[in-house]
Amino acid sequence: MSARVTSRGTAAGLLALALVTSLSACSNGSSDDSASGGEGSSSLTLWDPYPQFDESDAWPQLVQKCGEENGVTIERTGYDTTDLTNQVLRAAQQGNAPSVLVVDNPVVSTLADGGVLADNDTTGLDASGVEDNILAAGEVDGQTYGVPIGANTLALYYNKTVLSAAGVDPSTITDWDSLTDALQKVEDSGKNGITFSAIGTEEGSFQFLPWFWGSGAELTDLASSDAQSALSLWSGWVQQGLAPQTVISNNQQSAWEEFLTGDYGFVENGTWQLGPVKESGLDWGVIPIPGRDGGTAPAPTGGEFVTIPTQADTASYDKSAAVVQCLTSADNALETDTTLSYVSALADVQEQQVSADADLQPWVEAVSAARGRTSDGLGTDYPGISEQLWNAVQAALSGSQSPQAALEAAQQAAGSN
């Protein structure tokens, strides 16, 4: 995962989320119309997690276009995701939150719970047409906050040259057993089976979740027999040499770099690597992550929501909402999602994306099966559960605990938080 997408797709900003619990409707807005975008204001502030883009790039140009179309000048600031979370928390406490906030989707529920974000009924935002599973990350207690700008997720890239030499037909990989058989064939041919990220951070949980959910497990019961089967799969691969010991310390980018050596049959990675793999010189393909007994495993959604922070001057919401609708509209989504390496949150735009680039088809399928990390009513409970999950993965893959013991300890710790 690139540095740009790592911070977004894996919610590195969750490290700061504990601070939000002390914020209870504390975003009072600014009394200065020029800062808050109140009635009569000619400017709005927008913060996003894309510091790598400058005025020559498509995203900032779209931001300015949406401002011009709605009669406002937009003052845009890009932060790294962790910095963005911290900055918006401080701003909310001080009453000068930005007019528009583009934020990593797992952060939405926590900011909403802390009163930092205004709901769509209040602001007038319209999220109709958005795929339900993508929108779910922004739904909290019956209210929706913001509009998703797009989504990314995980699948399995494979090296066609390696698989061909091992006698593996990727179309026959339909479940965990057939995947493990394929990894063994690759290993027997003198190459390495699969690499992934099992690091002790949100990236590790992000990468484990397709296997966890693909077993039928739920995050409300980390120690279930289904969950144990998923962790046993990963730990078994490491113990058998089908996955390297480096997965314990790999982040998503380092796992990707291992795959680019040409020595691996598979890597678990995301939509954001589609451009780089095309430039890599590898003969490659993509398949969805299989469920234990078949089908496509639900992978977690990455990506941002465009939201409106709570303001004291509620007259500002009309202009902010107009800008958000412009940024997320079907007319602009194709260019925006291409720029951000996202699958669109809109089905019609997804079809346009596949027409323009057939390599996106498996990613559209993967996003359609994906789940929000804070969905299923988890909301602000997710960060604590995720931390215990990655701790269990680390313990099992290092051999310090069995999968069963590691997950039982994780469930006990998560339940006591």
Side-chain angles (χ1 to χ4, degrees):
M1 196 179 220
S2 68
R4 172 171 70 84
V5 185
T6 298
S7 62
R8 304 204 313 270
T10 60
L14 289 173
L15 295 174
L17 294 186
L19 297 176
V20 184
T21 57
S22 66
L23 297 172
S24 180
C26 58
S27 180
N28 297 316
S30 170
S31 60
D32 182 351
D33 277 352
S34 66
S36 66
E39 189 172 2
S41 168
S42 60
S43 67
L44 296 176
T45 53
L46 180 148
W47 294 359
D48 65 41
Y50 315 133
Q52 73 280 8
F53 293 141
D54 60 29
E55 287 70 19
S56 66
D57 292 307
W59 168 252
Q61 289 175 5
L62 176 61
V63 169
Q64 293 310 316
K65 172 188 170 186
C66 286
E68 291 169 3
E69 289 181 356
N70 290 286
V72 295
T73 298
I74 299 178
E75 300 172 6
R76 170 189 170 263
T77 304
Y79 295 96
D80 172 82
T81 292
T82 302
D83 291 339
L84 177 61
T85 303
N86 291 331
Q87 290 287 347
V88 76
L89 293 176
R90 284 198 214 58
Q93 288 174 318
Q94 295 164 3
N96 58 359
S99 312
V100 176
L101 175 68
V102 185
V103 66
D104 195 16
N105 74 70
V107 181
V108 173
S109 61
T110 306
L111 294 181
D113 188 68
V116 177
L117 302 180
D119 65 75
N120 290 4
D121 287 343
T122 299
T123 63
L125 281 180
D126 180 8
S128 61
V130 173
E131 297 288 271
D132 290 343
N133 65 321
I134 299 175
L135 186 62
E139 295 175 334
V140 182
D141 295 332
Q143 294 288 346
T144 302
Y145 295 82
V147 183
I149 203 166
N152 56 37
T153 194
L154 297 166
L156 297 178
Y157 289 89
Y158 62 87
N159 185 318
K160 291 183 179 180
T161 302
V162 171
L163 265 57
S164 177
V168 173
D169 178 356
S171 69
T172 65
I173 298 172
T174 58
D175 54 21
W176 290 0
D177 286 344
S178 55
L179 176 57
T180 301
D181 287 345
L183 299 185
Q184 188 63 62
K185 289 178 180 178
V186 170
E187 195 71 22
D188 291 344
S189 74
K191 295 292 188 177
N192 300 300
I194 188 170
T195 188
F196 49 86
S197 170
I199 194 170
T201 68
E202 177 62 20
E203 288 189 66
S205 291
F206 187 74
Q207 289 241 316
F208 183 58
L209 279 173
W211 312 95
F212 183 89
W213 282 332
S215 73
E218 297 292 340
L219 289 170
T220 51
D221 186 3
L222 298 182
S224 69
S225 58
D226 288 332
Q228 291 174 35
S229 72
L231 191 48
S232 294
L233 179 74
W234 266 24
S235 62
W237 286 348
V238 172
Q239 291 167 9
Q240 297 163 38
L242 303 181
Q245 288 285 341
T246 53
V247 299
I248 297 174
S249 57
N250 275 349
N251 61 25
Q252 294 184 99
Q253 183 59 29
S254 56
W256 181 250
E257 289 167 358
E258 288 181 334
F259 179 70
L260 291 183
T261 64
D263 291 331
Y264 287 83
F266 297 88
V267 65
E268 180 183 353
N269 228 284
T271 323
W272 52 90
Q273 300 293 14
L274 188 56
V277 80
K278 290 181 177 182
E279 300 171 357
S280 69
L282 295 179
D283 193 7
W284 60 278
V286 176
I287 59 172
I289 297 172
R292 179 179 59 192
D293 302 317
T296 299
T301 54
E304 286 82 41
F305 274 58
V306 189
T307 66
I308 297 178
T310 303
Q311 306 288 341
D313 179 9
T314 58
S316 69
Y317 292 149
D318 287 346
K319 289 182 179 178
S320 296
V323 168
V324 174
Q325 300 293 180
C326 177
L327 292 172
T328 58
S329 70
D331 291 339
N332 294 319
L334 181 60
E335 181 178 1
T336 299
D337 290 325
T338 300
T339 298
L340 299 176
S341 299
Y342 282 153
V343 170
S344 178
L346 305 170
D348 290 347
V349 179
Q350 291 175 3
E351 293 177 5
Q352 295 177 54
Q353 288 181 299
V354 173
S355 295
D357 184 356
D359 290 332
L360 280 170
Q361 182 60 50
W363 292 107
V364 170
E365 295 173 7
V367 165
S368 295
R371 295 170 66 172
R373 283 164 277 176
T374 59
S375 300
D376 304 322
L378 291 179
T380 56
D381 291 335
Y382 173 75
I385 293 171
S386 176
E387 181 177 2
Q388 298 309 321
L389 188 62
W390 81 58
N391 285 341
V393 170
Q394 286 271 296
L397 268 59
S398 67
S400 64
Q401 286 184 299
S402 69
Q404 179 178 350
L407 287 168
E408 287 176 349
Q411 179 60 34
Q412 183 175 7
S416 64
N417 289 338

